[in-house]
Amino acid sequence: MSEENKASKIDNKPEETVENPQLKETKKTAESTPVSQDQEEVQENELTTESIDVIQNAKTDDSDDDDFIEEDTDEEDDADPADLDAALNEDSEDESTAERHSIPKKEYETLSKEDLIKELKNLLSNHKVQAIKEHVTEIRAAFIAKFEEEQEEAKEKFLEDGGNIIDFRYYSPLKKEFNSLYFEYRDKRNHYYQNLRKDLNANLETRNALIEELKELKNELGGEESINATFDKFKDIQDRWRNSGNIPRDRYNLVWNNYHHHIENFYDFLHLNREFRDKDFKENLDKKLKLIEQAEELAQESDVNRAFKELQMLHKIWKEEVGPVSREYREEIWEKFSAATHNIHESRQEYFKNIDKVYEQNLEEKEKVIAAIEKIAANPATSHNGWQKQMKEVNALRENFFKIGKVPRKANEPTWKSFKQATREFNHNKNGFYKNQKKEQYENLQKKMELVQIAEDNKDNEDVKVTIDLMKRIQSDWKKIGHVPRKDSDKVWKRFKKACNHFFDRLHAEKKEVLEEEKGNLEEKVALLDKVKTIELTGKHEDDLKTIKELIKEWKDTGRVPHSKKSIEQDFNKVLDGLFKKLDLTRKESELIKYDNRVAAMADEDNNQALNKERYFITKKIDEVKAEINQLENNLGFFQHVPDDNPMVKEVHKNIAEHKKTLEIWKAKLKKLKSLY
């Protein structure tokens, strides 16, 4: 079995219930006696005990292969599972388990070997070792898969080049680094479980001592101490019991039954003072009713796994933290609690049935992916472009294979082998094709050298516009040419890149100079704008008009400003509009004077694109105004019998006149524009 499949195996079956022999004996005794707290707790234990065998020792002397750390065997997994603390004690939902479920899992199969190592380092540095086994197992499986695929490709190439298989060696620094991290993980894991066993045994001793204290209390009830003081000691023992921690699971039921046996004895000795016992029974009843209410709410929880985990905690509280209740209520409240428990267990069973269906669907999807890769491998391409297309298709299929999800355990290894065989066959065909492509690669090299020569010959060309187009074209051609011999690839690329970068660096430097010049122009125009705002007209029309035209020429001669500051042109035109009004110029005259400035600016920039765009804009405006005039004149036809002094008719004539004036202005602008061509 491959490491990848061992690592990804899971057991989807819900854990079955097993019954401790001590509990069986207790139930036999209870059959001939009234229902007791012991019997109640035995019934409870039948519903909540998980099917994990008692494990007392974990392996610590793991051996590793020189080339790669061996996968943990099934026997070792049984002896040292990630949930060993659940197998060693009854509390399977401790902080470590909660943390395990809170650590997000990534799509490890899609990560590179470097990223997988990074993820493993992060887990070891930031999380408890007992909480990360599932993550480490999946990371390791993904790393091994990538390493073996890389090793297999290297082996094929070695053999194709005439090498002898007995001489093949493959070394990867990343593999050594990963092995070192995995050793560190296993050392930490073993150390954790060794300490855990020590703590469990110490807690066992504490609980046994508490039972001995409990035994002595009945002697104190008949002594000189008051019943209040004795009852306080009893409560203190219960508190310390609840806080005494987990113990080895194989001793749990025996110790717990012993403890509750003496609890019952103590209550029997209290029968002379029912006040204390009844008060305690009432408090316990209230607590257990709340637990029943919480269990019934959990039965409605959509997340069945979360509900099951929280149910285990409720059972622990029921057993460990809440004492017995009055006999008249015991059977009734236990039946309610059992009913809620039963519903959650049924939901969990149904969940796992559905999971199995999902895994079967995943298997079907993965088989389709494998069939698609096999089909591509059976029809190899005959050209470089064809192979590039097939490589993209296979890579997409591979990514899809890893994203699909888990399959049934029995199908895991066969599916993985079929997938590897299909991809290996494709890679073999691909490598065989490119082995015969040396002639084509040398032709590609010659083509690229020609492009290098073009780039070097034009890197100092002063015709910027032409050279920009040329550089873009040869860069595009470069991408289309294809592979060149590996030994020449870097060298020819560096020459080409250097020539292209030289041109564009020079272009950027020139643009920077232009930008600085435009900033200077902006400062001059700001000062000129302030000057125009404060100008005083003499009242002589010709002289004032001449002054304004000189200001417009000075503005135009100042040059371009940064594109982000183009709005200063509008500010200047607004000031001119105010001056034109003072001169009493016609609308057409003022518009054409301002337009002279705009047209001159476009001509100075030698921007044919801008001129063509302006010409198209004006032509469109002329057509729009003509259409408006025609529409208005047509509308007059509906008013043939209406007097000309009618307000509506007068308004239409007024609009026609305004549109004709506007038309004359647009035509005059078009005439000025045409004079530049």
Short mmCIF file of all heavy atoms in Angstrom, two decimals, residues 50 52 54-55 83-94 192-193 196 200 203 245-252 316:
data_model
loop_
_atom_site.label_atom_id
_atom_site.label_comp_id
_atom_site.label_asym_id
_atom_site.label_seq_id
_atom_site.Cartn_x
_atom_site.Cartn_y
_atom_site.Cartn_z
N GLU A 50 -17.72 4.82 23.97
CA GLU A 50 -17.26 4.70 22.60
C GLU A 50 -16.44 3.42 22.42
O GLU A 50 -15.84 2.92 23.36
CB GLU A 50 -16.41 5.90 22.20
CG GLU A 50 -17.19 7.19 22.23
CD GLU A 50 -16.33 8.34 21.83
OE1 GLU A 50 -15.12 8.23 22.03
OE2 GLU A 50 -16.88 9.32 21.32
N ILE A 52 -13.56 2.27 21.62
CA ILE A 52 -12.11 2.38 21.50
C ILE A 52 -11.50 1.44 22.54
O ILE A 52 -11.76 1.58 23.73
CB ILE A 52 -11.63 3.81 21.74
CG1 ILE A 52 -12.34 4.75 20.77
CG2 ILE A 52 -10.13 3.92 21.58
CD1 ILE A 52 -12.00 6.19 20.98
N VAL A 54 -9.01 -0.35 25.16
CA VAL A 54 -8.14 0.24 26.16
C VAL A 54 -6.70 0.15 25.69
O VAL A 54 -6.22 -0.92 25.35
CB VAL A 54 -8.29 -0.50 27.50
CG1 VAL A 54 -7.32 0.06 28.52
CG2 VAL A 54 -9.72 -0.39 27.99
N ILE A 55 -6.06 1.28 25.63
CA ILE A 55 -4.67 1.35 25.20
C ILE A 55 -3.84 1.87 26.36
O ILE A 55 -4.11 2.93 26.88
CB ILE A 55 -4.52 2.30 23.99
CG1 ILE A 55 -5.46 1.87 22.85
CG2 ILE A 55 -3.08 2.30 23.52
CD1 ILE A 55 -5.20 0.49 22.36
N ASP A 83 -6.27 10.39 18.81
CA ASP A 83 -7.22 10.48 19.92
C ASP A 83 -6.84 9.56 21.06
O ASP A 83 -7.70 8.96 21.72
CB ASP A 83 -8.63 10.12 19.43
CG ASP A 83 -9.20 11.20 18.55
OD1 ASP A 83 -8.85 12.38 18.78
OD2 ASP A 83 -9.97 10.88 17.65
N LEU A 84 -5.56 9.38 21.32
CA LEU A 84 -5.15 8.47 22.39
C LEU A 84 -5.69 8.92 23.73
O LEU A 84 -6.01 8.11 24.58
CB LEU A 84 -3.62 8.38 22.44
CG LEU A 84 -3.05 7.40 23.47
CD1 LEU A 84 -3.56 6.00 23.22
CD2 LEU A 84 -1.55 7.42 23.46
N ASP A 85 -5.77 10.25 23.92
CA ASP A 85 -6.31 10.71 25.19
C ASP A 85 -7.77 10.30 25.35
O ASP A 85 -8.27 10.17 26.46
CB ASP A 85 -6.18 12.23 25.35
CG ASP A 85 -6.42 12.97 24.06
OD1 ASP A 85 -6.48 12.33 23.01
OD2 ASP A 85 -6.53 14.19 24.13
N ALA A 86 -8.48 10.03 24.23
CA ALA A 86 -9.84 9.50 24.33
C ALA A 86 -9.81 8.03 24.70
O ALA A 86 -10.71 7.52 25.36
CB ALA A 86 -10.57 9.69 23.02
N ALA A 87 -8.78 7.29 24.26
CA ALA A 87 -8.67 5.88 24.57
C ALA A 87 -8.14 5.65 25.97
O ALA A 87 -8.40 4.63 26.59
CB ALA A 87 -7.75 5.19 23.57
N LEU A 88 -7.40 6.61 26.52
CA LEU A 88 -6.82 6.46 27.84
C LEU A 88 -7.75 6.93 28.94
O LEU A 88 -7.56 6.61 30.10
CB LEU A 88 -5.51 7.26 27.92
CG LEU A 88 -4.35 6.69 27.09
CD1 LEU A 88 -3.24 7.71 27.02
CD2 LEU A 88 -3.85 5.40 27.68
N ASN A 89 -8.72 7.74 28.61
CA ASN A 89 -9.62 8.25 29.63
C ASN A 89 -10.99 8.46 29.02
O ASN A 89 -11.17 8.39 27.82
CB ASN A 89 -9.09 9.56 30.20
CG ASN A 89 -9.00 10.65 29.16
OD1 ASN A 89 -9.97 11.33 28.92
ND2 ASN A 89 -7.84 10.80 28.51
N GLU A 90 -11.96 8.70 29.84
CA GLU A 90 -13.34 8.77 29.38
C GLU A 90 -13.73 10.09 28.77
O GLU A 90 -14.76 10.21 28.15
CB GLU A 90 -14.29 8.48 30.55
CG GLU A 90 -14.02 9.29 31.81
CD GLU A 90 -14.63 10.68 31.74
OE1 GLU A 90 -15.69 10.81 31.14
OE2 GLU A 90 -14.04 11.62 32.27
N ASP A 91 -12.91 11.11 28.90
CA ASP A 91 -13.28 12.45 28.39
C ASP A 91 -12.69 12.66 27.02
O ASP A 91 -11.58 13.13 26.88
CB ASP A 91 -12.78 13.51 29.37
CG ASP A 91 -13.22 14.90 28.95
OD1 ASP A 91 -14.07 14.97 28.04
OD2 ASP A 91 -12.73 15.87 29.52
N SER A 92 -13.42 12.31 25.98
CA SER A 92 -12.88 12.41 24.63
C SER A 92 -13.03 13.79 24.04
O SER A 92 -12.52 14.06 22.96
CB SER A 92 -13.60 11.40 23.72
OG SER A 92 -14.96 11.74 23.64
N GLU A 93 -13.68 14.69 24.70
CA GLU A 93 -13.90 16.04 24.18
C GLU A 93 -13.18 17.06 25.04
O GLU A 93 -13.78 17.95 25.61
CB GLU A 93 -15.40 16.35 24.13
CG GLU A 93 -16.15 15.51 23.13
CD GLU A 93 -15.56 15.63 21.74
OE1 GLU A 93 -15.46 16.78 21.27
OE2 GLU A 93 -15.20 14.62 21.16
N ASP A 94 -11.89 16.94 25.20
CA ASP A 94 -11.12 17.88 25.99
C ASP A 94 -10.67 19.04 25.12
O ASP A 94 -11.08 19.16 23.97
CB ASP A 94 -9.91 17.19 26.64
CG ASP A 94 -8.97 16.61 25.59
OD1 ASP A 94 -9.30 16.75 24.39
OD2 ASP A 94 -7.95 16.03 25.96
N TYR A 192 4.35 13.79 24.65
CA TYR A 192 3.06 14.21 25.18
C TYR A 192 2.30 13.03 25.79
O TYR A 192 1.77 13.12 26.90
CB TYR A 192 2.21 14.84 24.06
CG TYR A 192 0.76 14.94 24.41
CD1 TYR A 192 0.29 15.91 25.30
CD2 TYR A 192 -0.17 14.02 23.88
CE1 TYR A 192 -1.06 15.98 25.64
CE2 TYR A 192 -1.51 14.09 24.23
CZ TYR A 192 -1.94 15.07 25.10
OH TYR A 192 -3.26 15.14 25.45
N TYR A 193 2.26 11.90 25.07
CA TYR A 193 1.48 10.77 25.57
C TYR A 193 2.12 10.10 26.78
O TYR A 193 1.43 9.54 27.63
CB TYR A 193 1.23 9.76 24.44
CG TYR A 193 0.22 10.28 23.45
CD1 TYR A 193 0.56 10.52 22.12
CD2 TYR A 193 -1.07 10.58 23.85
CE1 TYR A 193 -0.36 11.02 21.22
CE2 TYR A 193 -2.01 11.09 22.96
CZ TYR A 193 -1.65 11.30 21.66
OH TYR A 193 -2.56 11.80 20.78
N LEU A 196 1.01 12.24 29.49
CA LEU A 196 -0.42 12.07 29.70
C LEU A 196 -0.68 10.85 30.59
O LEU A 196 -1.50 10.90 31.51
CB LEU A 196 -1.12 11.91 28.34
CG LEU A 196 -2.62 11.63 28.39
CD1 LEU A 196 -3.37 12.77 29.06
CD2 LEU A 196 -3.17 11.39 26.99
N LEU A 200 -2.65 10.73 34.13
CA LEU A 200 -3.84 9.90 34.33
C LEU A 200 -3.69 9.01 35.55
O LEU A 200 -4.63 8.83 36.35
CB LEU A 200 -4.10 9.05 33.09
CG LEU A 200 -4.49 9.81 31.81
CD1 LEU A 200 -4.59 8.85 30.63
CD2 LEU A 200 -5.79 10.57 31.99
N ASN A 203 -4.04 11.05 38.67
CA ASN A 203 -5.45 11.35 38.93
C ASN A 203 -6.19 10.13 39.49
O ASN A 203 -7.10 10.26 40.32
CB ASN A 203 -6.14 11.80 37.64
CG ASN A 203 -5.60 13.13 37.13
OD1 ASN A 203 -5.01 13.89 37.89
ND2 ASN A 203 -5.79 13.41 35.86
N GLY A 245 -9.65 15.44 37.46
CA GLY A 245 -9.07 15.16 36.15
C GLY A 245 -9.38 13.76 35.66
O GLY A 245 -10.03 12.95 36.32
N ASN A 246 -8.89 13.45 34.44
CA ASN A 246 -9.17 12.18 33.79
C ASN A 246 -8.28 11.07 34.33
O ASN A 246 -7.18 11.31 34.81
CB ASN A 246 -8.97 12.31 32.28
CG ASN A 246 -9.87 13.37 31.70
OD1 ASN A 246 -11.03 13.48 32.07
ND2 ASN A 246 -9.32 14.18 30.78
N ILE A 247 -8.75 9.82 34.16
CA ILE A 247 -8.01 8.63 34.61
C ILE A 247 -7.96 7.63 33.46
O ILE A 247 -8.71 7.77 32.49
CB ILE A 247 -8.67 8.01 35.86
CG1 ILE A 247 -10.09 7.50 35.51
CG2 ILE A 247 -8.72 9.00 37.01
CD1 ILE A 247 -10.76 6.75 36.64
N PRO A 248 -7.10 6.59 33.55
CA PRO A 248 -7.08 5.57 32.48
C PRO A 248 -8.46 4.98 32.25
O PRO A 248 -9.18 4.67 33.19
CB PRO A 248 -6.10 4.53 33.02
CG PRO A 248 -5.19 5.30 33.90
CD PRO A 248 -6.05 6.34 34.56
N ARG A 249 -8.81 4.83 31.00
CA ARG A 249 -10.17 4.41 30.66
C ARG A 249 -10.50 3.02 31.18
O ARG A 249 -11.64 2.74 31.56
CB ARG A 249 -10.35 4.47 29.14
CG ARG A 249 -11.80 4.27 28.71
CD ARG A 249 -11.91 4.35 27.20
NE ARG A 249 -13.30 4.26 26.80
CZ ARG A 249 -14.13 5.28 26.68
NH1 ARG A 249 -13.69 6.49 26.93
NH2 ARG A 249 -15.38 5.12 26.31
N ASP A 250 -9.52 2.13 31.20
CA ASP A 250 -9.81 0.77 31.63
C ASP A 250 -10.16 0.69 33.11
O ASP A 250 -10.71 -0.29 33.59
CB ASP A 250 -8.63 -0.15 31.31
CG ASP A 250 -7.37 0.26 32.05
OD1 ASP A 250 -7.17 1.47 32.23
OD2 ASP A 250 -6.60 -0.63 32.45
N ARG A 251 -9.84 1.76 33.87
CA ARG A 251 -10.17 1.79 35.30
C ARG A 251 -11.38 2.67 35.59
O ARG A 251 -11.87 2.70 36.71
CB ARG A 251 -8.96 2.32 36.10
CG ARG A 251 -7.68 1.55 35.89
CD ARG A 251 -7.82 0.09 36.31
NE ARG A 251 -8.24 -0.04 37.69
CZ ARG A 251 -7.39 0.01 38.73
NH1 ARG A 251 -6.10 0.15 38.52
NH2 ARG A 251 -7.85 -0.10 39.97
N TYR A 252 -11.84 3.37 34.57
CA TYR A 252 -12.86 4.39 34.81
C TYR A 252 -14.15 3.82 35.39
O TYR A 252 -14.65 4.27 36.41
CB TYR A 252 -13.15 5.16 33.52
CG TYR A 252 -14.27 6.15 33.67
CD1 TYR A 252 -14.07 7.34 34.34
CD2 TYR A 252 -15.55 5.87 33.17
CE1 TYR A 252 -15.10 8.26 34.50
CE2 TYR A 252 -16.58 6.76 33.34
CZ TYR A 252 -16.35 7.97 34.00
OH TYR A 252 -17.38 8.85 34.17
N LYS A 316 -21.21 13.44 30.49
CA LYS A 316 -20.15 13.53 31.50
C LYS A 316 -20.64 14.33 32.71
O LYS A 316 -20.41 13.96 33.87
CB LYS A 316 -18.92 14.21 30.90
CG LYS A 316 -17.77 14.37 31.88
CD LYS A 316 -16.60 15.07 31.22
CE LYS A 316 -15.42 15.15 32.20
NZ LYS A 316 -15.72 15.89 33.41
#
